[in-house]
Amino acid sequence: MRKTPKLAAGIAAAALVMSGAGIALGTATAVADTTSACVQTKHVDYNPGIESFWITHTYDKSIDVTTAAPGTLVTYKLVVGTTSIGNPYVNRITDFPPPGFDKPVKTVVTAYHAGTGEQAVEVTSEPDAGGWKVTSTGWFVNSGYPVTAEFTYKVPSSVTDGQQVLSGGMSAGGTVGSGSDQPSMGVCFTGRGANPGEALLGSLDQGGLGSSQNQLSSTGSVTDTIANVIKRLMGS
């Protein structure tokens, strides 16, 4: 197959990054120390009060990474459950990402379905009071089956190396007692510079060689990144 200039240049750039990765990674992935205030998980036990005083619902929010570079993807996992008797139904889960984040590029809900058990389904999120929500006629919840919503966002270019990026909290709605606003459940990651593979994909995007959306992992694996670059170039 004849190599086009674009293909040859892309493969050459990939090879260059791979050959220098052992040296470059020593500095490219260095990040500022995080403080105890930058936490990746939050948990709340919630008692609705007099309307169902014997019921305790649980809320969890977490982020899948401790550091992330602009252009990579981060996922916030929101879990609504109960430790008590009763079978509440949750019909809305809202995530409040950090300021400056655009609409989620992907949203997945995992919930119990009668006859089939837990199922993970990709859904469409909608704006909700400054956040993004997923809705249903009612996700069944009991002490063994919480409902989980995962919101994946692209880290905006405004995030800088060493910056601690704090999200907002979460909110849920449903049958009596299961709905609650939890604004204090913000979780945090620290911004970092792009590693060689991420920088390469960013350059390819700027050069019109294809979108890197959904292909930049926040872990920044150089090997995976180079493989993706070559596959994309070979298919162009």
Side-chain angles (χ1 to χ4, degrees):
M1 179 183 69
R2 185 177 64 87
K3 292 183 180 180
T4 65
K6 180 172 69 174
L7 174 60
I11 294 177
L16 178 62
V17 173
M18 181 63 80
S19 66
I23 299 174
L25 281 175
T27 56
T29 59
V31 297
D33 291 338
T34 59
T35 69
S36 58
C38 191
V39 299
Q40 284 73 56
T41 62
K42 287 285 184 71
H43 173 86
V44 168
D45 291 322
Y46 173 70
N47 184 289
I50 194 170
E51 57 191 8
S52 53
F53 62 87
W54 65 91
I55 297 295
T56 298
H57 296 302
T58 60
Y59 299 90
D60 292 271
K61 180 169 180 175
S62 62
I63 184 171
D64 64 337
V65 297
T66 57
T67 66
T72 63
L73 302 181
V74 296
T75 299
Y76 294 90
K77 178 187 288 188
L78 282 57
V79 183
V80 181
T82 182
T83 59
S84 306
I85 61 172
N87 302 314
Y89 281 83
V90 174
N91 57 31
R92 175 187 56 80
I93 299 176
T94 301
D95 178 51
F96 296 94
F101 276 53
D102 288 332
K103 180 178 181 177
V105 299
K106 184 178 182 180
T107 312
V108 176
V109 173
T110 302
Y112 177 84
H113 296 264
T116 58
E118 284 189 312
Q119 299 289 324
V121 179
E122 187 168 347
V123 298
T124 300
S125 57
E126 300 175 340
D128 183 29
W132 296 94
K133 68 180 179 181
V134 290
T135 59
S136 169
T137 54
W139 293 295
F140 171 84
V141 174
N142 67 18
S143 58
Y145 292 103
V147 58
T148 300
E150 297 176 272
F151 296 80
T152 299
Y153 303 88
K154 189 173 184 179
V155 178
S157 59
S158 57
V159 170
T160 59
D161 189 13
Q163 175 187 356
Q164 292 189 346
V165 183
L166 180 66
S167 75
M170 62 179 287
S171 176
T175 52
V176 175
S178 62
S180 175
D181 295 328
Q182 299 292 337
S184 65
M185 293 186 67
V187 293
C188 179
F189 72 90
T190 301
R192 61 169 172 80
N195 71 24
E198 293 163 344
L200 172 60
L201 280 186
S203 297
L204 289 173
D205 280 348
Q206 293 172 12
L209 300 184
S211 172
S212 62
Q213 183 171 323
N214 295 323
Q215 297 194 42
L216 284 177
S217 72
S218 53
T219 56
S221 168
V222 173
T223 302
D224 290 344
T225 299
I226 300 304
N228 287 337
V229 170
I230 293 176
K231 287 178 182 178
R232 287 163 55 196
L233 289 169
M234 293 294 289
S236 61

